[in-house]
Amino acid sequence: MVIWIMADTPSKAAAEVDAVIVGAGFAGLYMLHRLRGLGFSARVFEAATGVGGTWYWNRYPGARCDVESLEYSYTFSEELDREWRWTERYASQPEILRYLNHVADRFDLRRDIQFETTVTAAVFAEAQNVWNVETSRGERVQAKFCIMATGCLSSAKKPDFKGLEDFAGKWYQTSHWPHEGVDFSGQRVAVIGTGSSAIQAIPIIAEQAAHLFVFQRTPNYSVPARNGPITPEVMDDWNLNRARYRQRARASAFPILSIDMADRSALATPPEERERAYEERWQRGGVCLAGAFSDLIVNQEANDTAAEFVRAKIRETARDPAVAEKLAPKDYPFGTKRLCVDTGYYATFNRENVSLIDLRCTPIEAVTPQGLRTSDASFELDSIVFATGFDAMTGALTKIDIRGNGGVALKEKWSSGPRTFLGIMTAGFPNLFTITGPGSPSVLSNMVVAIEQHADWIASCLTYLRERQLVKIEATEQAENEWVAHVNEVANATLYPRANSWYVGANVPGKPRVFMPYIGGFGSYSEKCDEVAEKGYAGFALSAHR
Ligand SMILES: Cc1cc2nc3c(=O)[nH]c(=O)nc-3n(C[C@H](O)[C@H](O)[C@H](O)COP(=O)(O)OP(=O)(O)OC[C@H]3O[C@@H](n4cnc5c(N)ncnc54)[C@H](O)[C@@H]3O)c2cc1C
C-alpha cells in the first residue's frame, strides 16, 4: 500500500512502502505498531522464524533479563501493561518470548512481518530518493525510509578456534541455542567465556553435566539476582504507582529504577557505613550495588571500594582460595563492563564436578577431535558451549551492505568507529534511522525504555516530514561531529573506557576502540532529542526535493 507520494514529482513512481523495518525484537515490533497507528505503511523483515529478537535467539539454560521484569517491558499501552502478569522478579527467556509473542498477536503485527528473511543490502537511490532494500530471498523493496531495528547484541561472534570443524562432539553458541534444548546429563562439557550469558548458564549446566570445565579469559563482577516470584505486595505497589515509577525512570540518568542511584560519595562516607550500604544492596540483589554511591563510575578510589567489596564476597563464596583469586576481577574498574547478575555463580565453583581454567595463564591452542587443548593440558569433551559474545552495537549494521549518498558504504564510513548524530542517524545516509544506534544510551539503559524513546522520536519525525511535504532528512556533518565529540567527552570523564569491554569493541579483533554508547544520562539525552525536534530538527538537513 502506498500512502503518500513524493512532494516534488508526484507523477514518478512512489516507494512501495513508506518504511522498511529490519528486525522484529522489542524495537521492530514497537516501531511497526507506531507507524501503523500513524497511517504509514511498513514492512518488517526478520531473519528468525518468529518474533522476539534477543529472546528468540538466546535460549540457553538460565537465560533471563537482568533488569527487573516489571521495568523490562513496554510502557506504550497501559492495557497491555496491566493485563500482562510477570511471574518472577527477573523473567526467564521463555516468559519474555511469550510476552513478545503476545504483543505481536494483541496488536496484530505479524501480517506485516516477513520471517526467515535477512536484509542483505540497503542502497539509497539519490535520484529517486528511496532505499532499495534487498533480502536473502532475492526480493527488492523500495522504501522511503529504512529503519534499522537490528539490535545492539544480535550479531554473535562466530567461534574461530583452530580445529573446531574436526571436533567429534557437539558444540553450541549461547546466542543460537537449539530450540529443542540440550541435555548435558552425564557429559563432559566446556563453557568458553564468562560474560553475562555464561554466568547465567554455568550454574545450570553444572547441575546436569558429569564434569564442567569453565574456560575464563576475563573474570567478571557479578552480583546476586535474588530472583523469586513477584510478591503480591510488590505487585500492588507497582499497580498503584506504575505511571509515576515509569516517569521517574524515564527522567533518570539510568532508566532502571532498581539501580536506586544514591546521591552521596563513597569517599565521603565513613568506611563502616559504606560497607553497610554495600552489604544492604548485596542482600537486596540485582544491579542496585552499582547505584550505592554517585562517584563509583567517575573516581577510581571510590570505585576501588566497591570492587574490593565484590572481591571479598567472591573470596567468601568460592572455598578454594586459588579459584577465588582467579574469579576475582582486578584489572578493570567495577561496573565498567556490563555488571552481571547471577544465581549461584561463584558458589558453583565449590562443586566437585566444576573446574576453572584461566586462559590468561594457559591459552587455548586448538579444539581437537576429542576436546580441547590449552598450552598445558588436554581436555576430553562431549560438548562445547561458546559464550563468546557479540560484535556489539555496530555488527548487525555493518553486516548489511548499507550504502548512502554517492554509494558510500556505512562500513567504510564507520571504519574508524561509528559516527552518528544522537545515535539515530548518520550523515550521508538520508532517511536511514537506527534504533538504539551507537551514540545513544542504549545498552547503558533499560533497553525497552530506550527503544520506545527512539521509536517515538522517529515516528514523530516522519509525521513532521509528511505534514510539511518534506521528503528527506539527513544528519548534518557538523551536528554529527559535535555529537561524536560530546559522546567521547562524557565517556572520557568516566572510568568506562579503562575496561577492555564490548562497549569499546575490545572483544572483536581489529574493531576500532571507540566507546560506543552515550553515557551522558538517559533523561538529559531524551531532553536533547526533544529539543532538537522542537527546533524543527536542528542539526538535520530537511528537504522537499530529492
Ligand atoms: C542474553 C541477553 C540478555 C539481555 N538482557 C537484557 C536486560 O535484562 N535488560 C536490557 O535492557 N537489555 C538486555 N539485553 C539487551 C537486549 O538485546 C535488549 O534488551 C532488547 O531485546 C533489544 O531489542 P531489539 O529489538 O533492539 O534487538 P534484538 O532483540 O536483538 O532484535 C533484533 C532482531 O533483528 C534481526 N536482524 C538483525 N539483522 C537483520 C537483518 N539483516 N535482516 C533481518 N533481520 C535482522 C535479528 O534476527 C533480531 O531478531 C540482553 C541481551 C542479551 C543477549
Side-chain angles (χ1 to χ4, degrees), residues 71-110:
E71 294 193 61
Y72 189 65
S73 38
Y74 288 119
T75 68
F76 68 86
S77 160
E78 203 177 321
E79 297 76 40
L80 168 70
D81 214 12
R82 285 195 181 279
E83 78 200 11
W84 185 263
R85 281 295 167 122
W86 294 110
T87 61
E88 290 180 280
R89 182 175 176 188
Y90 303 95
S92 64
Q93 172 273 328
E95 191 172 9
I96 305 173
L97 187 57
R98 272 201 301 282
Y99 171 73
L100 288 167
N101 273 290
H102 168 72
V103 170
D105 293 333
R106 193 188 191 289
F107 298 99
D108 187 23
L109 299 177
R110 289 180 211 276

Side-chain angles (χ1 to χ4, degrees), residues 294-366:
S294 54
D295 48 357
L296 296 184
I297 227 59
V298 289
N299 182 304
Q300 182 66 60
E301 216 185 317
N303 190 286
D304 289 342
T305 65
E308 196 42 47
F309 176 83
V310 180
R311 285 193 287 264
K313 287 290 182 193
I314 298 171
R315 291 178 187 123
E316 227 174 87
T317 314
R319 283 197 293 267
D320 180 337
V323 170
E325 282 321 300
K326 283 181 193 163
L327 288 171
K330 298 186 190 81
D331 57 3
Y332 64 94
F334 166 80
T336 54
K337 279 167 167 267
R338 190 172 176 95
L339 186 58
C340 301
V341 179
D342 73 270
T343 299
Y345 175 64
Y346 294 122
T348 298
F349 293 90
N350 294 331
R351 295 176 66 105
E352 293 286 314
N353 71 332
V354 176
S355 314
L356 179 66
I357 296 98
D358 184 349
L359 296 178
R360 285 184 173 170
C361 302
T362 56
I364 293 175
E365 286 184 343

Side-chain angles (χ1 to χ4, degrees), residues 450-471:
I451 284 166
E452 286 188 332
Q453 185 256 341
H454 265 191
D456 287 342
W457 192 96
I458 294 167
S460 301
C461 174
L462 264 54
T463 308
Y464 180 95
L465 299 177
R466 181 172 62 185
E467 283 168 355
R468 288 160 185 77
Q469 298 192 317
L470 299 167
V471 296

Side-chain angles (χ1 to χ4, degrees), residues 22-28 45-48 52-55 57-58 60 64-67 72 117-119 149-154 197 338 390 396 400 436 445-448 451:
V22 189
F26 268 104
F45 293 109
E46 167 56 61
T54 290
W55 305 103
W57 296 106
N58 292 263
Y60 59 84
R64 56 180 73 246
C65 54
D66 53 21
V67 168
Y72 189 65
T117 310
T118 301
V119 167
T150 42
C152 291
L153 296 170
S154 60
S197 300
R338 190 172 176 95
F390 299 90
I400 305 171
T436 63
S445 59
N446 170 351
M447 289 286 286
V448 185
I451 284 166

Side-chain angles (χ1 to χ4, degrees), residues 278-293:
Y278 286 141
E279 185 61 33
E280 186 277 315
R281 284 171 182 255
W282 184 267
Q283 294 309 329
R284 221 192 293 169
V287 291
C288 65
L289 191 71
F293 297 100

